[in-house]
Amino acid sequence: MGLLDKQFTDDNIIITKVEDLLNWARLSSLWQMGFGLACCAIEMMATSASHYDFDRFGVIPRPSPRQSDVIIISGTVTFKMAIRIKRLYEQMPDHKYVISMGSCSNCGGPYWEHGYHVLKGVDRVIPVDVYVPGCPPRPEALLEGLLKLQEKIRNETLVSKTA
Amino acid sequence: MALKTEEMVLNMGPQHPSTHGVLRLELVIEGEIIKNVTPHIGYLHRCFEKHCEVMTYPQIIPYTDRMDYLASMCNEFGYVVAVERLMGIEVPERVEYIRVIMAELQRIASHLVAIGTYGADIGAFTPFLFCFRDREKILNLFEITCGARLLYNYIWIGGVMHDLHPDFIRLTKEFIKEFRPNLKELNDLLTFNQIFIDRTANVGILPAETAINYGITGPNLRASGVNWDLRINDPYSIYDRFDFKIPVGKGENGTVGDCWNRYYMRILEMEESLKIVEQAINQIPDGDVSSAIPKRVKPPAGQIYSRVENPRGELGYFIVSDGSVNPTRIKVRAPSFVNMVVFGELCKGHMVADVVAILGSIDIVLGEIDR
């Protein structure tokens, strides 16, 4: 509780909005689905490993879609894989978020023209919250994408998902 | 009284943390014993060979990067060597040295990922963090050289993109100095850890004869006791100038060709790669790196098969040229794909939990299997 530490003089009662509390809880423990697709997955692993350390933002890899809040589409989505990705997304519990990592999952990347087996953007099968550009994006770029997602969650209301 | 058992089909992947990407395995099991394994591939088919038909020769280099994305430099190296042989280009000395340094650093980086993820697969998470810490240092060296961390497009036909950074030699020396003790630390932590040995020794034994019959190459073949490395047996570039040994599996903790042996080969190879890098940075001559880059890459009509030793085995390019700026056909002999073939054979009769250990020890990269 770094933000609220030593902020109180006597009784520790906080008055806040339900929305703010829920949003704060959601954005501080975004469990990520540990799911690698292609080259970007290596950068995703590097982001979660010692040097860049995802965990300090509350992002912990989970092996199952049923336990995760955010799915990072890290790499080229092929037609054969697109069906599986859609199903994995549907298995995640609600409030779920999608980060599209890298050019391939944004728009097809280097395979946009002749890749007869490559889906030209994962947003054709599932809704995407944050697009991270790059081929592959640097770990810093992925972290920036994550911070953008947290910003987005912070502004959510109970009435509608996107503020 | 023997219990009556029934065969069961268990699906593993394509979304599974231990399949190293998007591989799907169909396991036929009886109780906990594997009866049969059918790998299903093609979840990452990115149409490499189709792209080669419409791209020019230099344009293909970035696509070779994306095949085996853990060893991009080595992929480029192999492709570039093949095209240069087809065109008969002589490459300046300095370029050859730079290429060897890059390829060997890449080999270390690739093996570090293989070892780190192998540890994580079978339950040791700390070595993963140790390996990635060291790998970041190699990536920093690549980054000051060409600006990219993972996919470089650095080695060009007839040369390299541009010369080394002035600090490169100093930083590489520092890295080697730092890395040697780290490797020992890794050995103490994982390699000779009794729990790890119990988990991997005598599991997934690949006899030398089977390995040769299946066409296995790279560390997996050498772990079976076969002394075969293209850097020695079919030298390309300037590998004949360096003094290094080819580690061969001896079965220190179990049988020759088991999972632990395959894992240990990678540790030993990293040490040998360090030796090559050390010699190369001490011998590297001055000179121009772009003098032999052709303005227009137009090989004469003909065909060539050229192979190099990738971290995962023999990477071969078969190029058919009709004399135009586009190749007619490029076929890639991907080491991961060939090594994967023996997987079903290795798993038979083992427990379900050993599938992960065997798969990790073969060290596949799905980008290369599916291409």
Short mmCIF file of all heavy atoms in Angstrom, two decimals, chain B residues 273-328:
data_model
loop_
_atom_site.label_atom_id
_atom_site.label_comp_id
_atom_site.label_asym_id
_atom_site.label_seq_id
_atom_site.Cartn_x
_atom_site.Cartn_y
_atom_site.Cartn_z
N SER B 273 32.31 -22.20 -27.71
CA SER B 273 31.99 -20.98 -28.45
C SER B 273 32.72 -19.79 -27.85
O SER B 273 33.20 -18.92 -28.59
CB SER B 273 30.49 -20.73 -28.44
OG SER B 273 29.82 -21.69 -29.18
N LEU B 274 32.81 -19.77 -26.53
CA LEU B 274 33.56 -18.68 -25.90
C LEU B 274 35.00 -18.67 -26.38
O LEU B 274 35.57 -17.62 -26.64
CB LEU B 274 33.53 -18.84 -24.38
CG LEU B 274 32.31 -18.34 -23.62
CD1 LEU B 274 32.52 -18.55 -22.14
CD2 LEU B 274 32.06 -16.88 -23.90
N LYS B 275 35.57 -19.88 -26.50
CA LYS B 275 36.96 -19.97 -26.97
C LYS B 275 37.09 -19.41 -28.38
O LYS B 275 38.04 -18.68 -28.68
CB LYS B 275 37.41 -21.45 -26.99
CG LYS B 275 37.90 -21.96 -25.66
CD LYS B 275 38.48 -23.35 -25.86
CE LYS B 275 38.32 -24.18 -24.60
NZ LYS B 275 38.44 -25.61 -24.88
N ILE B 276 36.13 -19.76 -29.25
CA ILE B 276 36.20 -19.27 -30.63
C ILE B 276 36.09 -17.74 -30.65
O ILE B 276 36.86 -17.06 -31.33
CB ILE B 276 35.09 -19.90 -31.49
CG1 ILE B 276 35.23 -21.41 -31.51
CG2 ILE B 276 35.14 -19.36 -32.91
CD1 ILE B 276 34.14 -22.11 -32.28
N VAL B 277 35.14 -17.20 -29.88
CA VAL B 277 34.97 -15.75 -29.86
C VAL B 277 36.24 -15.09 -29.37
O VAL B 277 36.71 -14.09 -29.93
CB VAL B 277 33.77 -15.36 -28.96
CG1 VAL B 277 33.67 -13.86 -28.85
CG2 VAL B 277 32.48 -15.92 -29.52
N GLU B 278 36.83 -15.67 -28.34
CA GLU B 278 38.05 -15.11 -27.76
C GLU B 278 39.17 -15.06 -28.81
O GLU B 278 39.84 -14.04 -28.96
CB GLU B 278 38.47 -15.98 -26.59
CG GLU B 278 38.98 -15.22 -25.42
CD GLU B 278 39.06 -16.09 -24.19
OE1 GLU B 278 39.16 -17.34 -24.35
OE2 GLU B 278 39.03 -15.56 -23.08
N GLN B 279 39.35 -16.18 -29.52
CA GLN B 279 40.40 -16.19 -30.55
C GLN B 279 40.09 -15.20 -31.66
O GLN B 279 40.97 -14.50 -32.15
CB GLN B 279 40.52 -17.60 -31.15
CG GLN B 279 41.09 -18.62 -30.20
CD GLN B 279 40.94 -20.03 -30.76
OE1 GLN B 279 41.17 -20.27 -31.93
NE2 GLN B 279 40.53 -20.94 -29.91
N ALA B 280 38.82 -15.14 -32.06
CA ALA B 280 38.46 -14.29 -33.20
C ALA B 280 38.65 -12.82 -32.87
O ALA B 280 39.15 -12.07 -33.70
CB ALA B 280 37.01 -14.56 -33.61
N ILE B 281 38.28 -12.40 -31.66
CA ILE B 281 38.45 -10.96 -31.37
C ILE B 281 39.91 -10.60 -31.20
O ILE B 281 40.28 -9.45 -31.36
CB ILE B 281 37.61 -10.47 -30.16
CG1 ILE B 281 37.87 -11.30 -28.93
CG2 ILE B 281 36.14 -10.41 -30.48
CD1 ILE B 281 37.19 -10.73 -27.71
N ASN B 282 40.74 -11.59 -30.90
CA ASN B 282 42.16 -11.27 -30.81
C ASN B 282 42.82 -11.21 -32.18
O ASN B 282 43.84 -10.54 -32.35
CB ASN B 282 42.87 -12.31 -29.93
CG ASN B 282 42.54 -12.10 -28.47
OD1 ASN B 282 42.27 -10.99 -28.04
ND2 ASN B 282 42.52 -13.19 -27.72
N GLN B 283 42.26 -11.95 -33.15
CA GLN B 283 42.91 -12.02 -34.47
C GLN B 283 42.30 -11.09 -35.50
O GLN B 283 42.80 -10.97 -36.60
CB GLN B 283 42.79 -13.45 -35.02
CG GLN B 283 43.52 -14.50 -34.21
CD GLN B 283 43.14 -15.88 -34.68
OE1 GLN B 283 42.54 -16.06 -35.73
NE2 GLN B 283 43.49 -16.89 -33.90
N ILE B 284 41.18 -10.44 -35.17
CA ILE B 284 40.41 -9.75 -36.20
C ILE B 284 41.24 -8.67 -36.89
O ILE B 284 41.85 -7.82 -36.24
CB ILE B 284 39.09 -9.20 -35.60
CG1 ILE B 284 38.20 -8.64 -36.70
CG2 ILE B 284 39.34 -8.15 -34.53
CD1 ILE B 284 36.78 -8.39 -36.23
N PRO B 285 41.35 -8.73 -38.23
CA PRO B 285 42.14 -7.72 -38.95
C PRO B 285 41.31 -6.48 -39.24
O PRO B 285 40.09 -6.49 -39.12
CB PRO B 285 42.49 -8.46 -40.24
CG PRO B 285 41.36 -9.40 -40.46
CD PRO B 285 40.80 -9.75 -39.12
N ASP B 286 42.01 -5.40 -39.64
CA ASP B 286 41.29 -4.20 -40.07
C ASP B 286 40.87 -4.38 -41.52
O ASP B 286 41.32 -5.28 -42.21
CB ASP B 286 42.20 -2.97 -39.95
CG ASP B 286 42.39 -2.58 -38.50
OD1 ASP B 286 41.46 -2.87 -37.72
OD2 ASP B 286 43.45 -2.05 -38.16
N GLY B 287 40.03 -3.49 -41.98
CA GLY B 287 39.65 -3.55 -43.38
C GLY B 287 38.24 -3.05 -43.59
O GLY B 287 37.55 -2.66 -42.65
N ASP B 288 37.85 -3.07 -44.85
CA ASP B 288 36.54 -2.58 -45.24
C ASP B 288 35.54 -3.74 -45.15
O ASP B 288 35.87 -4.88 -45.48
CB ASP B 288 36.61 -2.05 -46.67
CG ASP B 288 35.35 -1.30 -47.04
OD1 ASP B 288 34.54 -1.05 -46.13
OD2 ASP B 288 35.17 -0.97 -48.23
N VAL B 289 34.33 -3.45 -44.68
CA VAL B 289 33.37 -4.55 -44.56
C VAL B 289 32.34 -4.56 -45.68
O VAL B 289 31.57 -5.49 -45.81
CB VAL B 289 32.62 -4.51 -43.21
CG1 VAL B 289 33.57 -4.76 -42.07
CG2 VAL B 289 31.86 -3.23 -43.03
N SER B 290 32.33 -3.50 -46.49
CA SER B 290 31.27 -3.45 -47.50
C SER B 290 31.81 -3.49 -48.93
O SER B 290 31.06 -3.32 -49.88
CB SER B 290 30.43 -2.19 -47.30
OG SER B 290 31.27 -1.07 -47.28
N SER B 291 33.13 -3.75 -49.08
CA SER B 291 33.71 -3.66 -50.43
C SER B 291 33.19 -4.77 -51.35
O SER B 291 33.10 -4.57 -52.56
CB SER B 291 35.23 -3.74 -50.34
OG SER B 291 35.62 -4.95 -49.75
N ALA B 292 32.82 -5.91 -50.81
CA ALA B 292 32.42 -7.03 -51.68
C ALA B 292 30.91 -7.13 -51.83
O ALA B 292 30.41 -8.07 -52.45
CB ALA B 292 32.98 -8.34 -51.14
N ILE B 293 30.15 -6.18 -51.27
CA ILE B 293 28.69 -6.27 -51.40
C ILE B 293 28.29 -5.93 -52.83
O ILE B 293 28.59 -4.84 -53.32
CB ILE B 293 27.99 -5.31 -50.41
CG1 ILE B 293 28.31 -5.72 -48.97
CG2 ILE B 293 26.49 -5.31 -50.63
CD1 ILE B 293 27.70 -4.84 -47.93
N PRO B 294 27.67 -6.87 -53.55
CA PRO B 294 27.33 -6.59 -54.96
C PRO B 294 26.18 -5.58 -55.05
O PRO B 294 25.29 -5.56 -54.20
CB PRO B 294 26.91 -7.96 -55.49
CG PRO B 294 26.57 -8.76 -54.31
CD PRO B 294 27.26 -8.20 -53.13
N LYS B 295 26.24 -4.75 -56.10
CA LYS B 295 25.19 -3.76 -56.30
C LYS B 295 23.88 -4.45 -56.64
O LYS B 295 22.81 -4.04 -56.25
CB LYS B 295 25.57 -2.83 -57.46
CG LYS B 295 26.68 -1.87 -57.12
CD LYS B 295 26.16 -0.45 -56.99
CE LYS B 295 27.04 0.43 -56.14
NZ LYS B 295 28.47 0.25 -56.33
N ARG B 296 24.01 -5.51 -57.42
CA ARG B 296 22.82 -6.21 -57.88
C ARG B 296 23.09 -7.70 -57.71
O ARG B 296 24.04 -8.23 -58.28
CB ARG B 296 22.63 -5.87 -59.36
CG ARG B 296 21.29 -6.15 -59.92
CD ARG B 296 21.29 -5.59 -61.34
NE ARG B 296 20.28 -6.25 -62.16
CZ ARG B 296 18.99 -5.95 -62.12
NH1 ARG B 296 18.56 -5.03 -61.31
NH2 ARG B 296 18.14 -6.59 -62.91
N VAL B 297 22.28 -8.35 -56.91
CA VAL B 297 22.51 -9.77 -56.66
C VAL B 297 21.75 -10.57 -57.72
O VAL B 297 20.53 -10.63 -57.71
CB VAL B 297 22.04 -10.16 -55.25
CG1 VAL B 297 22.34 -11.62 -54.98
CG2 VAL B 297 22.70 -9.29 -54.21
N LYS B 298 22.52 -11.13 -58.64
CA LYS B 298 21.92 -11.87 -59.75
C LYS B 298 22.78 -13.11 -60.00
O LYS B 298 23.63 -13.11 -60.87
CB LYS B 298 21.89 -10.97 -60.99
CG LYS B 298 20.62 -11.10 -61.80
CD LYS B 298 20.62 -10.08 -62.90
CE LYS B 298 19.64 -10.49 -63.98
NZ LYS B 298 19.64 -9.58 -65.10
N PRO B 299 22.57 -14.17 -59.22
CA PRO B 299 23.43 -15.34 -59.39
C PRO B 299 23.20 -15.99 -60.75
O PRO B 299 22.11 -15.89 -61.32
CB PRO B 299 22.98 -16.28 -58.27
CG PRO B 299 22.08 -15.51 -57.41
CD PRO B 299 21.55 -14.38 -58.21
N PRO B 300 24.22 -16.68 -61.29
CA PRO B 300 24.03 -17.40 -62.55
C PRO B 300 23.06 -18.56 -62.37
O PRO B 300 22.84 -19.03 -61.25
CB PRO B 300 25.45 -17.92 -62.86
CG PRO B 300 26.13 -17.97 -61.55
CD PRO B 300 25.56 -16.85 -60.75
N ALA B 301 22.47 -19.00 -63.47
CA ALA B 301 21.53 -20.12 -63.39
C ALA B 301 22.24 -21.34 -62.84
O ALA B 301 23.39 -21.62 -63.19
CB ALA B 301 20.96 -20.41 -64.77
N GLY B 302 21.58 -22.05 -61.97
CA GLY B 302 22.19 -23.22 -61.36
C GLY B 302 21.55 -23.51 -60.03
O GLY B 302 20.56 -22.86 -59.66
N GLN B 303 22.10 -24.47 -59.35
CA GLN B 303 21.55 -24.79 -58.04
C GLN B 303 22.66 -25.16 -57.08
O GLN B 303 23.75 -25.54 -57.49
CB GLN B 303 20.52 -25.92 -58.15
CG GLN B 303 21.09 -27.18 -58.77
CD GLN B 303 19.98 -28.18 -59.03
OE1 GLN B 303 18.88 -27.82 -59.44
NE2 GLN B 303 20.27 -29.43 -58.78
N ILE B 304 22.37 -25.01 -55.79
CA ILE B 304 23.39 -25.28 -54.79
C ILE B 304 22.72 -25.73 -53.50
O ILE B 304 21.62 -25.29 -53.18
CB ILE B 304 24.26 -24.02 -54.54
CG1 ILE B 304 25.48 -24.39 -53.71
CG2 ILE B 304 23.47 -22.92 -53.85
CD1 ILE B 304 26.54 -23.35 -53.71
N TYR B 305 23.38 -26.66 -52.82
CA TYR B 305 22.97 -26.99 -51.46
C TYR B 305 24.12 -26.64 -50.54
O TYR B 305 25.24 -27.10 -50.74
CB TYR B 305 22.62 -28.47 -51.32
CG TYR B 305 22.25 -28.84 -49.89
CD1 TYR B 305 21.01 -28.50 -49.37
CD2 TYR B 305 23.15 -29.50 -49.06
CE1 TYR B 305 20.68 -28.81 -48.08
CE2 TYR B 305 22.82 -29.81 -47.75
CZ TYR B 305 21.57 -29.47 -47.27
OH TYR B 305 21.25 -29.77 -45.97
N SER B 306 23.87 -25.77 -49.59
CA SER B 306 24.93 -25.34 -48.69
C SER B 306 24.42 -25.47 -47.27
O SER B 306 23.27 -25.18 -46.98
CB SER B 306 25.27 -23.89 -49.02
OG SER B 306 26.08 -23.35 -48.03
N ARG B 307 25.30 -25.92 -46.38
CA ARG B 307 24.85 -26.18 -45.01
C ARG B 307 25.80 -25.59 -44.00
O ARG B 307 27.00 -25.48 -44.25
CB ARG B 307 24.71 -27.68 -44.78
CG ARG B 307 25.97 -28.44 -45.12
CD ARG B 307 25.74 -29.92 -45.09
NE ARG B 307 27.00 -30.63 -45.28
CZ ARG B 307 27.12 -31.93 -45.11
NH1 ARG B 307 26.09 -32.67 -44.77
NH2 ARG B 307 28.29 -32.52 -45.29
N VAL B 308 25.25 -25.18 -42.88
CA VAL B 308 26.05 -24.65 -41.79
C VAL B 308 25.58 -25.30 -40.49
O VAL B 308 24.51 -25.88 -40.43
CB VAL B 308 25.95 -23.12 -41.67
CG1 VAL B 308 26.55 -22.45 -42.86
CG2 VAL B 308 24.53 -22.68 -41.44
N GLU B 309 26.42 -25.15 -39.47
CA GLU B 309 26.08 -25.72 -38.16
C GLU B 309 25.34 -24.66 -37.35
O GLU B 309 25.93 -23.71 -36.87
CB GLU B 309 27.36 -26.17 -37.45
CG GLU B 309 27.13 -26.85 -36.13
CD GLU B 309 26.61 -28.27 -36.24
OE1 GLU B 309 26.85 -28.91 -37.28
OE2 GLU B 309 25.96 -28.71 -35.29
N ASN B 310 24.06 -24.84 -37.21
CA ASN B 310 23.24 -23.95 -36.39
C ASN B 310 23.28 -24.44 -34.95
O ASN B 310 23.70 -25.56 -34.70
CB ASN B 310 21.80 -24.00 -36.93
CG ASN B 310 21.30 -22.64 -37.31
OD1 ASN B 310 22.07 -21.81 -37.76
ND2 ASN B 310 20.03 -22.43 -37.13
N PRO B 311 22.83 -23.64 -33.99
CA PRO B 311 22.79 -24.17 -32.62
C PRO B 311 21.96 -25.45 -32.50
O PRO B 311 22.16 -26.23 -31.59
CB PRO B 311 22.14 -23.04 -31.83
CG PRO B 311 22.45 -21.82 -32.59
CD PRO B 311 22.54 -22.21 -34.01
N ARG B 312 21.02 -25.66 -33.40
CA ARG B 312 20.17 -26.85 -33.31
C ARG B 312 20.56 -27.95 -34.28
O ARG B 312 19.94 -29.01 -34.27
CB ARG B 312 18.72 -26.45 -33.56
CG ARG B 312 18.15 -25.86 -32.35
CD ARG B 312 16.89 -25.12 -32.51
NE ARG B 312 16.71 -24.34 -31.32
CZ ARG B 312 17.34 -23.22 -31.06
NH1 ARG B 312 18.14 -22.70 -31.95
NH2 ARG B 312 17.19 -22.60 -29.93
N GLY B 313 21.54 -27.72 -35.11
CA GLY B 313 21.97 -28.77 -36.02
C GLY B 313 22.25 -28.25 -37.41
O GLY B 313 22.52 -27.05 -37.59
N GLU B 314 22.17 -29.15 -38.37
CA GLU B 314 22.56 -28.78 -39.73
C GLU B 314 21.45 -27.98 -40.39
O GLU B 314 20.35 -28.49 -40.63
CB GLU B 314 22.83 -30.05 -40.55
CG GLU B 314 23.08 -29.76 -42.01
CD GLU B 314 23.22 -31.04 -42.83
OE1 GLU B 314 23.69 -32.04 -42.28
OE2 GLU B 314 22.86 -31.01 -44.02
N LEU B 315 21.73 -26.72 -40.69
CA LEU B 315 20.78 -25.88 -41.40
C LEU B 315 21.24 -25.81 -42.85
O LEU B 315 22.31 -25.30 -43.14
CB LEU B 315 20.73 -24.48 -40.80
CG LEU B 315 19.86 -23.48 -41.53
CD1 LEU B 315 18.40 -23.79 -41.33
CD2 LEU B 315 20.15 -22.07 -41.08
N GLY B 316 20.43 -26.35 -43.76
CA GLY B 316 20.83 -26.37 -45.16
C GLY B 316 19.88 -25.54 -46.00
O GLY B 316 18.68 -25.50 -45.76
N TYR B 317 20.46 -24.87 -46.99
CA TYR B 317 19.64 -24.13 -47.96
C TYR B 317 19.87 -24.74 -49.33
O TYR B 317 21.01 -24.87 -49.76
CB TYR B 317 20.04 -22.66 -48.00
CG TYR B 317 19.64 -21.87 -46.79
CD1 TYR B 317 20.49 -21.75 -45.71
CD2 TYR B 317 18.41 -21.24 -46.73
CE1 TYR B 317 20.13 -21.03 -44.59
CE2 TYR B 317 18.04 -20.51 -45.61
CZ TYR B 317 18.90 -20.40 -44.56
OH TYR B 317 18.54 -19.70 -43.45
N PHE B 318 18.80 -25.10 -49.99
CA PHE B 318 18.90 -25.56 -51.37
C PHE B 318 18.30 -24.46 -52.24
O PHE B 318 17.11 -24.17 -52.16
CB PHE B 318 18.14 -26.87 -51.54
CG PHE B 318 18.17 -27.39 -52.95
CD1 PHE B 318 19.37 -27.75 -53.53
CD2 PHE B 318 17.02 -27.51 -53.69
CE1 PHE B 318 19.42 -28.21 -54.82
CE2 PHE B 318 17.06 -27.98 -54.98
CZ PHE B 318 18.25 -28.33 -55.56
N ILE B 319 19.16 -23.83 -53.03
CA ILE B 319 18.72 -22.68 -53.82
C ILE B 319 18.76 -23.05 -55.30
O ILE B 319 19.77 -23.55 -55.79
CB ILE B 319 19.61 -21.45 -53.57
CG1 ILE B 319 19.62 -21.12 -52.08
CG2 ILE B 319 19.14 -20.26 -54.38
CD1 ILE B 319 20.48 -19.94 -51.72
N VAL B 320 17.67 -22.81 -56.00
CA VAL B 320 17.65 -22.99 -57.45
C VAL B 320 17.51 -21.61 -58.07
O VAL B 320 16.60 -20.87 -57.74
CB VAL B 320 16.46 -23.88 -57.88
CG1 VAL B 320 16.50 -24.09 -59.39
CG2 VAL B 320 16.49 -25.20 -57.17
N SER B 321 18.47 -21.27 -58.92
CA SER B 321 18.45 -19.96 -59.54
C SER B 321 18.25 -20.11 -61.05
O SER B 321 18.81 -21.02 -61.66
CB SER B 321 19.78 -19.25 -59.26
OG SER B 321 19.97 -18.20 -60.17
N ASP B 322 17.45 -19.22 -61.62
CA ASP B 322 17.30 -19.23 -63.09
C ASP B 322 18.01 -18.03 -63.71
O ASP B 322 17.77 -17.69 -64.86
CB ASP B 322 15.82 -19.26 -63.47
CG ASP B 322 15.07 -18.05 -62.91
OD1 ASP B 322 15.69 -17.28 -62.16
OD2 ASP B 322 13.88 -17.88 -63.24
N GLY B 323 18.88 -17.38 -62.95
CA GLY B 323 19.65 -16.26 -63.48
C GLY B 323 18.97 -14.92 -63.31
O GLY B 323 19.50 -13.91 -63.75
N SER B 324 17.81 -14.87 -62.66
CA SER B 324 17.13 -13.60 -62.45
C SER B 324 17.40 -13.11 -61.03
O SER B 324 18.18 -13.70 -60.29
CB SER B 324 15.62 -13.76 -62.69
OG SER B 324 15.07 -14.54 -61.67
N VAL B 325 16.74 -12.00 -60.66
CA VAL B 325 16.98 -11.45 -59.33
C VAL B 325 16.20 -12.20 -58.25
O VAL B 325 16.45 -12.02 -57.06
CB VAL B 325 16.63 -9.94 -59.27
CG1 VAL B 325 17.63 -9.14 -60.07
CG2 VAL B 325 15.22 -9.69 -59.75
N ASN B 326 15.23 -13.00 -58.64
CA ASN B 326 14.48 -13.81 -57.67
C ASN B 326 14.92 -15.25 -57.78
O ASN B 326 15.09 -15.76 -58.88
CB ASN B 326 12.98 -13.77 -57.95
CG ASN B 326 12.45 -12.38 -57.99
OD1 ASN B 326 12.89 -11.53 -57.24
ND2 ASN B 326 11.52 -12.14 -58.89
N PRO B 327 15.06 -15.94 -56.65
CA PRO B 327 15.33 -17.38 -56.75
C PRO B 327 14.08 -18.11 -57.25
O PRO B 327 12.95 -17.69 -56.97
CB PRO B 327 15.66 -17.79 -55.32
CG PRO B 327 15.08 -16.73 -54.46
CD PRO B 327 15.03 -15.47 -55.27
N THR B 328 14.30 -19.18 -57.99
CA THR B 328 13.15 -19.98 -58.43
C THR B 328 12.57 -20.72 -57.25
O THR B 328 11.35 -20.82 -57.11
CB THR B 328 13.60 -21.00 -59.50
OG1 THR B 328 14.39 -20.30 -60.45
CG2 THR B 328 12.42 -21.64 -60.18
#
